Amino acid sequence: MSPGMDQQQCIIDTQHITTHTMGRGDLGRGEGEKKLRYMLKDGSCPVVFHQSPGQWSFFLADIFTTLVELRWRVMLLIFCLSYILSWLFFSILYFLIAYVHKDLEDHDTAPCVANVRSFTSAFLYSMSTQATIGYGFRVMTENCMVAIVVVTIQALMSCFIDTIVIGITVAKMACASKRAQTVGFSSSAVVNARNGALCLVWRIADFRRNHILEGTARAQLVRPTKHPSGMISVTYQDLDIQSRHLILATPASIVHKLEPGSPLYSLGPDSLAEEDFDLVVSFTYTGDSTGILHQTRTSYTPADIRWGQRFQDMVQVGRRQYKVDYALFHQTTWVQTPMVSAQEGDRGRPPPTDSIILNHVLIQSASHSTL
């Protein structure tokens, strides 16, 4: 690469364009053999459970979490049905009490519930009992102890249903997954040289104004392997991250150094395209407004890793404040980077001067101890 190339930058919008080094593995892979991601970009996993033991009992044992995780339309349908069915159930009881007490036939007798002479009036009385704290045209009398007991039970059940509805609605509105949608990762990761070493870098940012003060980043390499017998095994390898604890007032870059011990140490741009793994990254933090623990996650496949690129600068320093241009959050630019793996680069690199002096000192001390 000529010296003039350093002054010319080619900006690539990796959110809309896919650019990666083509290897021999891509040439033989057709559209029908597209790799299945272990984790999707939105953080969900394409996993379906079949014939899990006690699948219904698990949901019923934790019914509160089950209702919170339901869709809004399903949850609203369940809440409406809970009210309507309770009204119908107690209206049937009031109608049976009136029928047994002969309030429907003889209007001259003292009724159990005043002005309840049909099923429609029993339903209206049941609805007013559960939805209000006072009565108007229809009212309970002291003539039937059974009717008084039923009214008491319905009043307690109405409080129980209202508590569940309000609690689940508040929990669903403050759901952690909603806050996690305002914290995002870059659409791709890049590999470039930093301080003389190859590093894998990806971005994270908080798009809300009440920024997260502290959080913990984590990265894990997931390799699903299919054996000749048909069995599928999944291996997990943690990646060491520089500056794992982040202050997310401005977009931050998460860096993993490709050094001995890293599962990506021996991978170059060509061999990377032939690999089959998912780089699952996550960011765990506590919301400053609600105090609820949140987690945002996504994954990168080898096709999402751009070799020889870096992220475009998006933070500028003004007179009184920092300016962040989120239009450049996903954009990358080409930089001069060795097109070999970190392992091959270390082999062709002379050892540091400090290590040569240290080895010389160790040799001299060993020779003196021998004498």
Side-chain angles (χ1 to χ4, degrees), residues 307-323:
W307 196 284
Q309 300 180 29
R310 69 169 179 86
F311 287 109
Q312 191 75 2
D313 296 332
M314 55 184 299
V315 180
Q316 298 179 355
V317 181
R319 283 188 173 182
R320 297 183 179 180
Q321 58 189 358
Y322 292 91
K323 299 180 181 180

Side-chain angles (χ1 to χ4, degrees), residues 188-227:
S188 62
V190 297
V191 175
N192 52 51
R194 290 193 170 202
N195 299 324
L198 288 177
C199 297
L200 176 66
V201 187
W202 60 93
R203 259 180 180 171
I204 184 174
D206 183 12
F207 304 115
R208 291 180 63 93
R209 293 187 179 274
N210 53 336
H211 298 295
I212 300 167
L213 297 182
E214 185 178 0
T216 304
R218 185 184 179 187
Q220 197 171 58
L221 200 69
V222 181
R223 292 180 184 269
T225 304
K226 186 174 182 179
H227 300 278

Side-chain angles (χ1 to χ4, degrees), residues 22 36 46 51 54 57 60 65 73 94 116 129 139 183 215 220 224 227 241 245-246 258 275 337 344 348 358 369:
M22 186 70 73
L36 179 63
Q51 299 180 358
S57 61
L60 295 177
T65 305
R73 56 179 177 268
Y94 294 132
V116 174
T129 299
V139 63
V183 178
Q220 197 171 58
H227 300 278
I241 297 176
H245 302 283
L246 303 175
L258 304 184
E275 286 292 318
T337 305
E344 294 177 353
L358 180 60
S369 61

Side-chain angles (χ1 to χ4, degrees), residues 97-118:
I97 292 173
Y99 178 78
V100 173
H101 198 255
K102 300 185 184 304
D103 296 341
L104 304 179
E105 301 173 358
D106 189 2
H107 292 188
D108 296 330
T109 60
C112 294
V113 182
N115 299 311
V116 174
R117 305 295 183 180
S118 62

Side-chain angles (χ1 to χ4, degrees), residues 75 79 100 102 144 147 169 176 198 221 229 236 248 250 295 303 312 314:
M75 186 191 69
F79 288 166
V100 173
K102 300 185 184 304
C144 300
T169 302
L198 288 177
L221 200 69
S229 60
Y236 306 88
L248 213 58
T250 58
Q295 186 184 71
Q312 191 75 2
M314 55 184 299

Side-chain angles (χ1 to χ4, degrees), residues 47-118:
V47 179
V48 179
F49 296 99
H50 292 287
Q51 299 180 358
S52 58
Q55 53 182 355
W56 288 108
S57 61
F58 293 153
F59 292 107
L60 295 177
D62 192 8
I63 187 64
F64 183 82
T65 305
T66 302
L67 293 176
V68 170
E69 292 178 348
L70 289 176
R71 296 179 180 272
W72 275 103
R73 56 179 177 268
V74 179
M75 186 191 69
L76 294 176
L77 177 61
I78 293 177
F79 288 166
C80 293
L81 288 177
S82 65
Y83 282 109
I84 294 174
L85 292 179
S86 64
W87 296 340
L88 287 174
F89 174 74
F90 285 100
S91 64
I92 293 174
L93 294 182
Y94 294 132
F95 180 78
L96 292 178
I97 292 173
Y99 178 78
V100 173
H101 198 255
K102 300 185 184 304
D103 296 341
L104 304 179
E105 301 173 358
D106 189 2
H107 292 188
D108 296 330
T109 60
C112 294
V113 182
N115 299 311
V116 174
R117 305 295 183 180
S118 62

